[in-house]
Amino acid sequence: MDIRVSGHQVETGEALQAHASEKLTAIAEKYFSRALSSQVTFGRAPAGAFRCDVIMHVMQNLVLKGSSIAQDAHVACDQAAEKIDKQLRRYKRRLKDRSEQTAYASAVEEAAYTIFEEQQASNQDEAEETDAPVVIAETRVDVPEATVSDAVMMLDLRNTTALLFKNAGTGRHNMVYRRDDGSIGWVEPH
């Protein structure tokens, strides 16, 4: 596995680079012996602490992210690597459970959902008065084709709040997102 360790306004010595490489190599060998690559970035955090961000490309369409802040760079690396380890453990468990419960997974695809209508015209007048928000960044990403249950699993693994995907059952674009109360929302167009 290709492991790249870099520092953002932080000097990464040989000991820190070796520590990060050992941690991620051990995790990769434990779950996926053929992991593709990892990027470890160390940076400064408030109050003199260190921040460690780890991005691991395990296989095509499986990207894991872990981040941690600690007073010591080695501890921050250990904590971020532990998050990656936890995500991989959950992923492997889900794959195992999924193979055992194929009948249940097809029932989940039939789940009911509600599409809420837009608000009345009175709220539209208020919206016209405010300026549009500034677009900070745009990115291009591949939209994976997956079942709804796989999309929820990818949402958790990618550690994001929303995921756009092409529904394998209907062939249409859907979105799953994490709601404020911690539950998962699912959007499917008419």
Side-chain angles (χ1 to χ4, degrees), residues 74-98:
H74 291 271
V75 174
C77 179
D78 291 344
Q79 291 172 349
E82 186 176 316
K83 290 179 182 180
I84 297 290
D85 183 75
K86 185 176 181 180
Q87 291 172 5
L88 277 171
R89 187 172 53 248
R90 285 181 177 173
Y91 178 71
K92 292 288 273 193
R93 186 177 338 123
R94 285 180 182 163
L95 287 178
K96 181 182 172 202
D97 291 347
R98 185 172 143 203

mmCIF file with all atom_site columns, all heavy atoms in Angstrom, residues 74-98:
data_model
loop_
_atom_site.group_PDB
_atom_site.id
_atom_site.type_symbol
_atom_site.label_atom_id
_atom_site.label_alt_id
_atom_site.label_comp_id
_atom_site.label_asym_id
_atom_site.label_entity_id
_atom_site.label_seq_id
_atom_site.pdbx_PDB_ins_code
_atom_site.Cartn_x
_atom_site.Cartn_y
_atom_site.Cartn_z
_atom_site.occupancy
_atom_site.B_iso_or_equiv
_atom_site.pdbx_formal_charge
_atom_site.auth_seq_id
_atom_site.auth_comp_id
_atom_site.auth_asym_id
_atom_site.auth_atom_id
_atom_site.pdbx_PDB_model_num
ATOM 1   N N   . HIS A 1 74 ? 1.749   11.934  17.670 1.00 0.00 ? 74 HIS A N   1
ATOM 2   C CA  . HIS A 1 74 ? 1.637   10.466  17.653 1.00 0.00 ? 74 HIS A CA  1
ATOM 3   C C   . HIS A 1 74 ? 0.265   10.028  18.176 1.00 0.00 ? 74 HIS A C   1
ATOM 4   O O   . HIS A 1 74 ? -0.343  9.110   17.629 1.00 0.00 ? 74 HIS A O   1
ATOM 5   C CB  . HIS A 1 74 ? 2.749   9.831   18.500 1.00 0.00 ? 74 HIS A CB  1
ATOM 6   C CG  . HIS A 1 74 ? 4.114   9.999   17.907 1.00 0.00 ? 74 HIS A CG  1
ATOM 7   N ND1 . HIS A 1 74 ? 4.650   9.096   17.031 1.00 0.00 ? 74 HIS A ND1 1
ATOM 8   C CD2 . HIS A 1 74 ? 5.043   10.980  18.059 1.00 0.00 ? 74 HIS A CD2 1
ATOM 9   C CE1 . HIS A 1 74 ? 5.857   9.481   16.665 1.00 0.00 ? 74 HIS A CE1 1
ATOM 10  N NE2 . HIS A 1 74 ? 6.125   10.642  17.286 1.00 0.00 ? 74 HIS A NE2 1
ATOM 11  N N   . VAL A 1 75 ? -0.215  10.686  19.216 1.00 0.00 ? 75 VAL A N   1
ATOM 12  C CA  . VAL A 1 75 ? -1.532  10.351  19.776 1.00 0.00 ? 75 VAL A CA  1
ATOM 13  C C   . VAL A 1 75 ? -2.633  10.707  18.782 1.00 0.00 ? 75 VAL A C   1
ATOM 14  O O   . VAL A 1 75 ? -3.582  9.942   18.592 1.00 0.00 ? 75 VAL A O   1
ATOM 15  C CB  . VAL A 1 75 ? -1.746  11.079  21.125 1.00 0.00 ? 75 VAL A CB  1
ATOM 16  C CG1 . VAL A 1 75 ? -3.152  10.856  21.642 1.00 0.00 ? 75 VAL A CG1 1
ATOM 17  C CG2 . VAL A 1 75 ? -0.720  10.617  22.147 1.00 0.00 ? 75 VAL A CG2 1
ATOM 18  N N   . ALA A 1 76 ? -2.516  11.863  18.118 1.00 0.00 ? 76 ALA A N   1
ATOM 19  C CA  . ALA A 1 76 ? -3.504  12.249  17.113 1.00 0.00 ? 76 ALA A CA  1
ATOM 20  C C   . ALA A 1 76 ? -3.544  11.224  15.976 1.00 0.00 ? 76 ALA A C   1
ATOM 21  O O   . ALA A 1 76 ? -4.616  10.854  15.492 1.00 0.00 ? 76 ALA A O   1
ATOM 22  C CB  . ALA A 1 76 ? -3.187  13.636  16.566 1.00 0.00 ? 76 ALA A CB  1
ATOM 23  N N   . CYS A 1 77 ? -2.370  10.745  15.566 1.00 0.00 ? 77 CYS A N   1
ATOM 24  C CA  . CYS A 1 77 ? -2.290  9.719   14.526 1.00 0.00 ? 77 CYS A CA  1
ATOM 25  C C   . CYS A 1 77 ? -2.951  8.428   14.982 1.00 0.00 ? 77 CYS A C   1
ATOM 26  O O   . CYS A 1 77 ? -3.708  7.813   14.233 1.00 0.00 ? 77 CYS A O   1
ATOM 27  C CB  . CYS A 1 77 ? -0.831  9.477   14.144 1.00 0.00 ? 77 CYS A CB  1
ATOM 28  S SG  . CYS A 1 77 ? -0.600  8.218   12.882 1.00 0.00 ? 77 CYS A SG  1
ATOM 29  N N   . ASP A 1 78 ? -2.677  8.006   16.213 1.00 0.00 ? 78 ASP A N   1
ATOM 30  C CA  . ASP A 1 78 ? -3.282  6.785   16.750 1.00 0.00 ? 78 ASP A CA  1
ATOM 31  C C   . ASP A 1 78 ? -4.801  6.882   16.786 1.00 0.00 ? 78 ASP A C   1
ATOM 32  O O   . ASP A 1 78 ? -5.508  5.931   16.419 1.00 0.00 ? 78 ASP A O   1
ATOM 33  C CB  . ASP A 1 78 ? -2.756  6.495   18.155 1.00 0.00 ? 78 ASP A CB  1
ATOM 34  C CG  . ASP A 1 78 ? -1.294  6.094   18.164 1.00 0.00 ? 78 ASP A CG  1
ATOM 35  O OD1 . ASP A 1 78 ? -0.761  5.746   17.095 1.00 0.00 ? 78 ASP A OD1 1
ATOM 36  O OD2 . ASP A 1 78 ? -0.690  6.135   19.262 1.00 0.00 ? 78 ASP A OD2 1
ATOM 37  N N   . GLN A 1 79 ? -5.323  8.032   17.215 1.00 0.00 ? 79 GLN A N   1
ATOM 38  C CA  . GLN A 1 79 ? -6.770  8.203   17.311 1.00 0.00 ? 79 GLN A CA  1
ATOM 39  C C   . GLN A 1 79 ? -7.427  8.222   15.930 1.00 0.00 ? 79 GLN A C   1
ATOM 40  O O   . GLN A 1 79 ? -8.492  7.629   15.735 1.00 0.00 ? 79 GLN A O   1
ATOM 41  C CB  . GLN A 1 79 ? -7.099  9.481   18.082 1.00 0.00 ? 79 GLN A CB  1
ATOM 42  C CG  . GLN A 1 79 ? -6.750  9.399   19.546 1.00 0.00 ? 79 GLN A CG  1
ATOM 43  C CD  . GLN A 1 79 ? -6.908  10.736  20.262 1.00 0.00 ? 79 GLN A CD  1
ATOM 44  O OE1 . GLN A 1 79 ? -7.087  11.780  19.642 1.00 0.00 ? 79 GLN A OE1 1
ATOM 45  N NE2 . GLN A 1 79 ? -6.838  10.694  21.592 1.00 0.00 ? 79 GLN A NE2 1
ATOM 46  N N   . ALA A 1 80 ? -6.813  8.884   14.963 1.00 0.00 ? 80 ALA A N   1
ATOM 47  C CA  . ALA A 1 80 ? -7.353  8.900   13.602 1.00 0.00 ? 80 ALA A CA  1
ATOM 48  C C   . ALA A 1 80 ? -7.307  7.498   12.990 1.00 0.00 ? 80 ALA A C   1
ATOM 49  O O   . ALA A 1 80 ? -8.255  7.067   12.329 1.00 0.00 ? 80 ALA A O   1
ATOM 50  C CB  . ALA A 1 80 ? -6.581  9.891   12.738 1.00 0.00 ? 80 ALA A CB  1
ATOM 51  N N   . ALA A 1 81 ? -6.220  6.770   13.218 1.00 0.00 ? 81 ALA A N   1
ATOM 52  C CA  . ALA A 1 81 ? -6.103  5.401   12.708 1.00 0.00 ? 81 ALA A CA  1
ATOM 53  C C   . ALA A 1 81 ? -7.133  4.488   13.366 1.00 0.00 ? 81 ALA A C   1
ATOM 54  O O   . ALA A 1 81 ? -7.675  3.582   12.722 1.00 0.00 ? 81 ALA A O   1
ATOM 55  C CB  . ALA A 1 81 ? -4.693  4.867   12.946 1.00 0.00 ? 81 ALA A CB  1
ATOM 56  N N   . GLU A 1 82 ? -7.429  4.727   14.635 1.00 0.00 ? 82 GLU A N   1
ATOM 57  C CA  . GLU A 1 82 ? -8.446  3.934   15.337 1.00 0.00 ? 82 GLU A CA  1
ATOM 58  C C   . GLU A 1 82 ? -9.823  4.145   14.706 1.00 0.00 ? 82 GLU A C   1
ATOM 59  O O   . GLU A 1 82 ? -10.616 3.207   14.597 1.00 0.00 ? 82 GLU A O   1
ATOM 60  C CB  . GLU A 1 82 ? -8.470  4.340   16.804 1.00 0.00 ? 82 GLU A CB  1
ATOM 61  C CG  . GLU A 1 82 ? -9.382  3.484   17.665 1.00 0.00 ? 82 GLU A CG  1
ATOM 62  C CD  . GLU A 1 82 ? -9.294  3.882   19.135 1.00 0.00 ? 82 GLU A CD  1
ATOM 63  O OE1 . GLU A 1 82 ? -8.180  4.101   19.633 1.00 0.00 ? 82 GLU A OE1 1
ATOM 64  O OE2 . GLU A 1 82 ? -10.363 3.961   19.758 1.00 0.00 ? 82 GLU A OE2 1
ATOM 65  N N   . LYS A 1 83 ? -10.104 5.363   14.266 1.00 0.00 ? 83 LYS A N   1
ATOM 66  C CA  . LYS A 1 83 ? -11.381 5.633   13.589 1.00 0.00 ? 83 LYS A CA  1
ATOM 67  C C   . LYS A 1 83 ? -11.465 4.888   12.264 1.00 0.00 ? 83 LYS A C   1
ATOM 68  O O   . LYS A 1 83 ? -12.505 4.340   11.919 1.00 0.00 ? 83 LYS A O   1
ATOM 69  C CB  . LYS A 1 83 ? -11.553 7.137   13.378 1.00 0.00 ? 83 LYS A CB  1
ATOM 70  C CG  . LYS A 1 83 ? -11.785 7.886   14.674 1.00 0.00 ? 83 LYS A CG  1
ATOM 71  C CD  . LYS A 1 83 ? -11.914 9.372   14.439 1.00 0.00 ? 83 LYS A CD  1
ATOM 72  C CE  . LYS A 1 83 ? -12.087 10.097  15.776 1.00 0.00 ? 83 LYS A CE  1
ATOM 73  N NZ  . LYS A 1 83 ? -12.217 11.550  15.593 1.00 0.00 ? 83 LYS A NZ  1
ATOM 74  N N   . ILE A 1 84 ? -10.359 4.853   11.520 1.00 0.00 ? 84 ILE A N   1
ATOM 75  C CA  . ILE A 1 84 ? -10.319 4.090   10.266 1.00 0.00 ? 84 ILE A CA  1
ATOM 76  C C   . ILE A 1 84 ? -10.528 2.600   10.546 1.00 0.00 ? 84 ILE A C   1
ATOM 77  O O   . ILE A 1 84 ? -11.283 1.921   9.850  1.00 0.00 ? 84 ILE A O   1
ATOM 78  C CB  . ILE A 1 84 ? -8.979  4.321   9.532  1.00 0.00 ? 84 ILE A CB  1
ATOM 79  C CG1 . ILE A 1 84 ? -8.814  5.775   9.131  1.00 0.00 ? 84 ILE A CG1 1
ATOM 80  C CG2 . ILE A 1 84 ? -8.824  3.394   8.343  1.00 0.00 ? 84 ILE A CG2 1
ATOM 81  C CD1 . ILE A 1 84 ? -9.720  6.252   8.028  1.00 0.00 ? 84 ILE A CD1 1
ATOM 82  N N   . ASP A 1 85 ? -9.861  2.096   11.578 1.00 0.00 ? 85 ASP A N   1
ATOM 83  C CA  . ASP A 1 85 ? -9.987  0.695   11.966 1.00 0.00 ? 85 ASP A CA  1
ATOM 84  C C   . ASP A 1 85 ? -11.447 0.365   12.290 1.00 0.00 ? 85 ASP A C   1
ATOM 85  O O   . ASP A 1 85 ? -11.973 -0.667  11.865 1.00 0.00 ? 85 ASP A O   1
ATOM 86  C CB  . ASP A 1 85 ? -9.091  0.410   13.175 1.00 0.00 ? 85 ASP A CB  1
ATOM 87  C CG  . ASP A 1 85 ? -9.117  -1.048  13.572 1.00 0.00 ? 85 ASP A CG  1
ATOM 88  O OD1 . ASP A 1 85 ? -8.492  -1.862  12.867 1.00 0.00 ? 85 ASP A OD1 1
ATOM 89  O OD2 . ASP A 1 85 ? -9.754  -1.369  14.596 1.00 0.00 ? 85 ASP A OD2 1
ATOM 90  N N   . LYS A 1 86 ? -12.105 1.235   13.035 1.00 0.00 ? 86 LYS A N   1
ATOM 91  C CA  . LYS A 1 86 ? -13.503 1.033   13.415 1.00 0.00 ? 86 LYS A CA  1
ATOM 92  C C   . LYS A 1 86 ? -14.409 1.026   12.180 1.00 0.00 ? 86 LYS A C   1
ATOM 93  O O   . LYS A 1 86 ? -15.307 0.185   12.060 1.00 0.00 ? 86 LYS A O   1
ATOM 94  C CB  . LYS A 1 86 ? -13.932 2.133   14.377 1.00 0.00 ? 86 LYS A CB  1
ATOM 95  C CG  . LYS A 1 86 ? -15.319 1.971   14.927 1.00 0.00 ? 86 LYS A CG  1
ATOM 96  C CD  . LYS A 1 86 ? -15.595 3.065   15.956 1.00 0.00 ? 86 LYS A CD  1
ATOM 97  C CE  . LYS A 1 86 ? -16.973 2.925   16.565 1.00 0.00 ? 86 LYS A CE  1
ATOM 98  N NZ  . LYS A 1 86 ? -17.225 3.994   17.548 1.00 0.00 ? 86 LYS A NZ  1
ATOM 99  N N   . GLN A 1 87 ? -14.159 1.926   11.236 1.00 0.00 ? 87 GLN A N   1
ATOM 100 C CA  . GLN A 1 87 ? -14.956 1.965   10.020 1.00 0.00 ? 87 GLN A CA  1
ATOM 101 C C   . GLN A 1 87 ? -14.780 0.692   9.195  1.00 0.00 ? 87 GLN A C   1
ATOM 102 O O   . GLN A 1 87 ? -15.747 0.138   8.671  1.00 0.00 ? 87 GLN A O   1
ATOM 103 C CB  . GLN A 1 87 ? -14.580 3.186   9.183  1.00 0.00 ? 87 GLN A CB  1
ATOM 104 C CG  . GLN A 1 87 ? -14.990 4.491   9.798  1.00 0.00 ? 87 GLN A CG  1
ATOM 105 C CD  . GLN A 1 87 ? -14.438 5.685   9.035  1.00 0.00 ? 87 GLN A CD  1
ATOM 106 O OE1 . GLN A 1 87 ? -13.811 5.544   7.986  1.00 0.00 ? 87 GLN A OE1 1
ATOM 107 N NE2 . GLN A 1 87 ? -14.674 6.872   9.564  1.00 0.00 ? 87 GLN A NE2 1
ATOM 108 N N   . LEU A 1 88 ? -13.547 0.204   9.078  1.00 0.00 ? 88 LEU A N   1
ATOM 109 C CA  . LEU A 1 88 ? -13.300 -1.032  8.334  1.00 0.00 ? 88 LEU A CA  1
ATOM 110 C C   . LEU A 1 88 ? -13.931 -2.235  9.018  1.00 0.00 ? 88 LEU A C   1
ATOM 111 O O   . LEU A 1 88 ? -14.479 -3.120  8.354  1.00 0.00 ? 88 LEU A O   1
ATOM 112 C CB  . LEU A 1 88 ? -11.797 -1.259  8.160  1.00 0.00 ? 88 LEU A CB  1
ATOM 113 C CG  . LEU A 1 88 ? -11.155 -0.521  7.006  1.00 0.00 ? 88 LEU A CG  1
ATOM 114 C CD1 . LEU A 1 88 ? -9.646  -0.638  7.059  1.00 0.00 ? 88 LEU A CD1 1
ATOM 115 C CD2 . LEU A 1 88 ? -11.681 -1.041  5.687  1.00 0.00 ? 88 LEU A CD2 1
ATOM 116 N N   . ARG A 1 89 ? -13.867 -2.270  10.335 1.00 0.00 ? 89 ARG A N   1
ATOM 117 C CA  . ARG A 1 89 ? -14.485 -3.375  11.084 1.00 0.00 ? 89 ARG A CA  1
ATOM 118 C C   . ARG A 1 89 ? -15.995 -3.389  10.842 1.00 0.00 ? 89 ARG A C   1
ATOM 119 O O   . ARG A 1 89 ? -16.579 -4.442  10.586 1.00 0.00 ? 89 ARG A O   1
ATOM 120 C CB  . ARG A 1 89 ? -14.164 -3.217  12.574 1.00 0.00 ? 89 ARG A CB  1
ATOM 121 C CG  . ARG A 1 89 ? -14.597 -4.379  13.423 1.00 0.00 ? 89 ARG A CG  1
ATOM 122 C CD  . ARG A 1 89 ? -14.105 -4.303  14.865 1.00 0.00 ? 89 ARG A CD  1
ATOM 123 N NE  . ARG A 1 89 ? -14.444 -3.039  15.522 1.00 0.00 ? 89 ARG A NE  1
ATOM 124 C CZ  . ARG A 1 89 ? -13.588 -2.103  15.883 1.00 0.00 ? 89 ARG A CZ  1
ATOM 125 N NH1 . ARG A 1 89 ? -12.295 -2.251  15.629 1.00 0.00 ? 89 ARG A NH1 1
ATOM 126 N NH2 . ARG A 1 89 ? -13.990 -1.014  16.499 1.00 0.00 ? 89 ARG A NH2 1
ATOM 127 N N   . ARG A 1 90 ? -16.611 -2.218  10.881 1.00 0.00 ? 90 ARG A N   1
ATOM 128 C CA  . ARG A 1 90 ? -18.052 -2.133  10.620 1.00 0.00 ? 90 ARG A CA  1
ATOM 129 C C   . ARG A 1 90 ? -18.384 -2.539  9.191  1.00 0.00 ? 90 ARG A C   1
ATOM 130 O O   . ARG A 1 90 ? -19.372 -3.216  8.933  1.00 0.00 ? 90 ARG A O   1
ATOM 131 C CB  . ARG A 1 90 ? -18.549 -0.706  10.865 1.00 0.00 ? 90 ARG A CB  1
ATOM 132 C CG  . ARG A 1 90 ? -18.653 -0.356  12.320 1.00 0.00 ? 90 ARG A CG  1
ATOM 133 C CD  . ARG A 1 90 ? -19.168 1.046   12.466 1.00 0.00 ? 90 ARG A CD  1
ATOM 134 N NE  . ARG A 1 90 ? -19.359 1.394   13.862 1.00 0.00 ? 90 ARG A NE  1
ATOM 135 C CZ  . ARG A 1 90 ? -19.677 2.599   14.276 1.00 0.00 ? 90 ARG A CZ  1
ATOM 136 N NH1 . ARG A 1 90 ? -19.842 3.586   13.414 1.00 0.00 ? 90 ARG A NH1 1
ATOM 137 N NH2 . ARG A 1 90 ? -19.835 2.832   15.553 1.00 0.00 ? 90 ARG A NH2 1
ATOM 138 N N   . TYR A 1 91 ? -17.547 -2.116  8.252  1.00 0.00 ? 91 TYR A N   1
ATOM 139 C CA  . TYR A 1 91 ? -17.769 -2.459  6.852  1.00 0.00 ? 91 TYR A CA  1
ATOM 140 C C   . TYR A 1 91 ? -17.719 -3.969  6.641  1.00 0.00 ? 91 TYR A C   1
ATOM 141 O O   . TYR A 1 91 ? -18.588 -4.540  5.985  1.00 0.00 ? 91 TYR A O   1
ATOM 142 C CB  . TYR A 1 91 ? -16.729 -1.755  5.980  1.00 0.00 ? 91 TYR A CB  1
ATOM 143 C CG  . TYR A 1 91 ? -16.831 -2.085  4.519  1.00 0.00 ? 91 TYR A CG  1
ATOM 144 C CD1 . TYR A 1 91 ? -17.881 -1.617  3.754  1.00 0.00 ? 91 TYR A CD1 1
ATOM 145 C CD2 . TYR A 1 91 ? -15.870 -2.885  3.903  1.00 0.00 ? 91 TYR A CD2 1
ATOM 146 C CE1 . TYR A 1 91 ? -17.981 -1.924  2.414  1.00 0.00 ? 91 TYR A CE1 1
ATOM 147 C CE2 . TYR A 1 91 ? -15.959 -3.191  2.564  1.00 0.00 ? 91 TYR A CE2 1
ATOM 148 C CZ  . TYR A 1 91 ? -17.018 -2.703  1.814  1.00 0.00 ? 91 TYR A CZ  1
ATOM 149 O OH  . TYR A 1 91 ? -17.116 -3.025  0.490  1.00 0.00 ? 91 TYR A OH  1
ATOM 150 N N   . LYS A 1 92 ? -16.702 -4.606  7.207  1.00 0.00 ? 92 LYS A N   1
ATOM 151 C CA  . LYS A 1 92 ? -16.592 -6.064  7.068  1.00 0.00 ? 92 LYS A CA  1
ATOM 152 C C   . LYS A 1 92 ? -17.785 -6.775  7.707  1.00 0.00 ? 92 LYS A C   1
ATOM 153 O O   . LYS A 1 92 ? -18.307 -7.750  7.168  1.00 0.00 ? 92 LYS A O   1
ATOM 154 C CB  . LYS A 1 92 ? -15.284 -6.555  7.703  1.00 0.00 ? 92 LYS A CB  1
ATOM 155 C CG  . LYS A 1 92 ? -14.040 -6.116  6.975  1.00 0.00 ? 92 LYS A CG  1
ATOM 156 C CD  . LYS A 1 92 ? -13.875 -6.830  5.676  1.00 0.00 ? 92 LYS A CD  1
ATOM 157 C CE  . LYS A 1 92 ? -13.137 -8.114  5.904  1.00 0.00 ? 92 LYS A CE  1
ATOM 158 N NZ  . LYS A 1 92 ? -12.660 -8.743  4.691  1.00 0.00 ? 92 LYS A NZ  1
ATOM 159 N N   . ARG A 1 93 ? -18.220 -6.271  8.880  1.00 0.00 ? 93 ARG A N   1
ATOM 160 C CA  . ARG A 1 93 ? -19.366 -6.869  9.557  1.00 0.00 ? 93 ARG A CA  1
ATOM 161 C C   . ARG A 1 93 ? -20.635 -6.708  8.716  1.00 0.00 ? 93 ARG A C   1
ATOM 162 O O   . ARG A 1 93 ? -21.427 -7.630  8.589  1.00 0.00 ? 93 ARG A O   1
ATOM 163 C CB  . ARG A 1 93 ? -19.573 -6.224  10.926 1.00 0.00 ? 93 ARG A CB  1
ATOM 164 C CG  . ARG A 1 93 ? -20.661 -6.900  11.728 1.00 0.00 ? 93 ARG A CG  1
ATOM 165 C CD  . ARG A 1 93 ? -20.866 -6.344  13.122 1.00 0.00 ? 93 ARG A CD  1
ATOM 166 N NE  . ARG A 1 93 ? -19.743 -5.638  13.682 1.00 0.00 ? 93 ARG A NE  1
ATOM 167 C CZ  . ARG A 1 93 ? -19.793 -4.375  14.112 1.00 0.00 ? 93 ARG A CZ  1
ATOM 168 N NH1 . ARG A 1 93 ? -20.907 -3.689  14.041 1.00 0.00 ? 93 ARG A NH1 1
ATOM 169 N NH2 . ARG A 1 93 ? -18.735 -3.809  14.638 1.00 0.00 ? 93 ARG A NH2 1
ATOM 170 N N   . ARG A 1 94 ? -20.791 -5.536  8.102  1.00 0.00 ? 94 ARG A N   1
ATOM 171 C CA  . ARG A 1 94 ? -21.969 -5.313  7.271  1.00 0.00 ? 94 ARG A CA  1
ATOM 172 C C   . ARG A 1 94 ? -21.961 -6.209  6.044  1.00 0.00 ? 94 ARG A C   1
ATOM 173 O O   . ARG A 1 94 ? -23.007 -6.706  5.617  1.00 0.00 ? 94 ARG A O   1
ATOM 174 C CB  . ARG A 1 94 ? -22.048 -3.856  6.852  1.00 0.00 ? 94 ARG A CB  1
ATOM 175 C CG  . ARG A 1 94 ? -22.495 -2.970  7.981  1.00 0.00 ? 94 ARG A CG  1
ATOM 176 C CD  . ARG A 1 94 ? -22.571 -1.538  7.541  1.00 0.00 ? 94 ARG A CD  1
ATOM 177 N NE  . ARG A 1 94 ? -22.959 -0.704  8.653  1.00 0.00 ? 94 ARG A NE  1
ATOM 178 C CZ  . ARG A 1 94 ? -22.802 0.584   8.690  1.00 0.00 ? 94 ARG A CZ  1
ATOM 179 N NH1 . ARG A 1 94 ? -22.264 1.212   7.676  1.00 0.00 ? 94 ARG A NH1 1
ATOM 180 N NH2 . ARG A 1 94 ? -23.191 1.275   9.733  1.00 0.00 ? 94 ARG A NH2 1
ATOM 181 N N   . LEU A 1 95 ? -20.798 -6.400  5.448  1.00 0.00 ? 95 LEU A N   1
ATOM 182 C CA  . LEU A 1 95 ? -20.715 -7.305  4.302  1.00 0.00 ? 95 LEU A CA  1
ATOM 183 C C   . LEU A 1 95 ? -21.106 -8.718  4.704  1.00 0.00 ? 95 LEU A C   1
ATOM 184 O O   . LEU A 1 95 ? -21.815 -9.408  3.972  1.00 0.00 ? 95 LEU A O   1
ATOM 185 C CB  . LEU A 1 95 ? -19.306 -7.297  3.713  1.00 0.00 ? 95 LEU A CB  1
ATOM 186 C CG  . LEU A 1 95 ? -18.899 -6.061  2.927  1.00 0.00 ? 95 LEU A CG  1
ATOM 187 C CD1 . LEU A 1 95 ? -17.455 -6.203  2.458  1.00 0.00 ? 95 LEU A CD1 1
ATOM 188 C CD2 . LEU A 1 95 ? -19.824 -5.820  1.761  1.00 0.00 ? 95 LEU A CD2 1
ATOM 189 N N   . LYS A 1 96 ? -20.657 -9.153  5.874  1.00 0.00 ? 96 LYS A N   1
ATOM 190 C CA  . LYS A 1 96 ? -20.986 -10.488 6.360  1.00 0.00 ? 96 LYS A CA  1
ATOM 191 C C   . LYS A 1 96 ? -22.476 -10.599 6.658  1.00 0.00 ? 96 LYS A C   1
ATOM 192 O O   . LYS A 1 96 ? -23.134 -11.558 6.250  1.00 0.00 ? 96 LYS A O   1
ATOM 193 C CB  . LYS A 1 96 ? -20.174 -10.784 7.625  1.00 0.00 ? 96 LYS A CB  1
ATOM 194 C CG  . LYS A 1 96 ? -20.431 -12.153 8.192  1.00 0.00 ? 96 LYS A CG  1
ATOM 195 C CD  . LYS A 1 96 ? -19.647 -12.364 9.473  1.00 0.00 ? 96 LYS A CD  1
ATOM 196 C CE  . LYS A 1 96 ? -20.077 -13.660 10.117 1.00 0.00 ? 96 LYS A CE  1
ATOM 197 N NZ  . LYS A 1 96 ? -19.780 -13.677 11.527 1.00 0.00 ? 96 LYS A NZ  1
ATOM 198 N N   . ASP A 1 97 ? -23.023 -9.609  7.350  1.00 0.00 ? 97 ASP A N   1
ATOM 199 C CA  . ASP A 1 97 ? -24.450 -9.617  7.670  1.00 0.00 ? 97 ASP A CA  1
ATOM 200 C C   . ASP A 1 97 ? -25.298 -9.545  6.412  1.00 0.00 ? 97 ASP A C   1
ATOM 201 O O   . ASP A 1 97 ? -26.351 -10.169 6.329  1.00 0.00 ? 97 ASP A O   1
ATOM 202 C CB  . ASP A 1 97 ? -24.800 -8.451  8.596  1.00 0.00 ? 97 ASP A CB  1
ATOM 203 C CG  . ASP A 1 97 ? -24.217 -8.602  9.984  1.00 0.00 ? 97 ASP A CG  1
ATOM 204 O OD1 . ASP A 1 97 ? -23.742 -9.714  10.312 1.00 0.00 ? 97 ASP A OD1 1
ATOM 205 O OD2 . ASP A 1 97 ? -24.216 -7.605  10.732 1.00 0.00 ? 97 ASP A OD2 1
ATOM 206 N N   . ARG A 1 98 ? -24.820 -8.789  5.434  1.00 0.00 ? 98 ARG A N   1
ATOM 207 C CA  . ARG A 1 98 ? -25.582 -8.633  4.195  1.00 0.00 ? 98 ARG A CA  1
ATOM 208 C C   . ARG A 1 98 ? -25.702 -9.955  3.446  1.00 0.00 ? 98 ARG A C   1
ATOM 209 O O   . ARG A 1 98 ? -26.754 -10.273 2.898  1.00 0.00 ? 98 ARG A O   1
ATOM 210 C CB  . ARG A 1 98 ? -24.903 -7.593  3.321  1.00 0.00 ? 98 ARG A CB  1
ATOM 211 C CG  . ARG A 1 98 ? -25.676 -7.285  2.085  1.00 0.00 ? 98 ARG A CG  1
ATOM 212 C CD  . ARG A 1 98 ? -25.043 -6.129  1.385  1.00 0.00 ? 98 ARG A CD  1
ATOM 213 N NE  . ARG A 1 98 ? -25.140 -6.379  -0.032 1.00 0.00 ? 98 ARG A NE  1
ATOM 214 C CZ  . ARG A 1 98 ? -24.361 -5.852  -0.929 1.00 0.00 ? 98 ARG A CZ  1
ATOM 215 N NH1 . ARG A 1 98 ? -23.417 -5.035  -0.560 1.00 0.00 ? 98 ARG A NH1 1
ATOM 216 N NH2 . ARG A 1 98 ? -24.511 -6.129  -2.189 1.00 0.00 ? 98 ARG A NH2 1
#
